[in-house]
């Protein structure tokens, strides 16, 4: 049975890899037929869709 390939980069836990979305403002369309939308960007990953990997634990001592 085939094994799934792990992701090469960590997907943002807040946006699940969809960092930028267009949300309809609810105002309908203008006279030219364009839909009024608001662009929203994920604050956690700043629009990248991925987060930095967690730092590795380093053990110090004997």
């Amino acid at each position: 049975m085939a094994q799934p390939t792990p992701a090469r980069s960590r997907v943002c836990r807040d946006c699940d890899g969809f960092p930028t979305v267009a949300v309809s403002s609810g105002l309908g369309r203008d006279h030219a037929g364009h839909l009024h939308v608001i662009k929203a960007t994920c604050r956690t990953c700043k629009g990248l869709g991925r987060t930095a990997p967690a730092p590795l634990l380093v053990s110090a001592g004997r």
Side-chain angles (χ1 to χ4, degrees):
M1 180 180 259
Q3 296 295 319
T5 305
R8 298 201 187 281
S9 64
R10 296 183 55 107
V11 176
C12 176
R13 64 182 171 87
D14 291 336
C15 67
D16 289 328
F18 296 95
T20 305
V21 295
V23 181
S24 175
S25 64
L27 298 176
R29 298 183 182 270
D30 62 7
H31 62 82
H34 298 110
L35 186 63
H36 295 276
V37 294
I38 299 168
K39 184 178 174 183
T41 304
C42 178
R43 294 181 193 168
T44 305
C45 65
K46 297 176 180 57
L48 295 176
R50 61 185 186 277
T51 56
L56 297 174
L57 294 176
V58 177
S59 61
R62 296 182 183 195

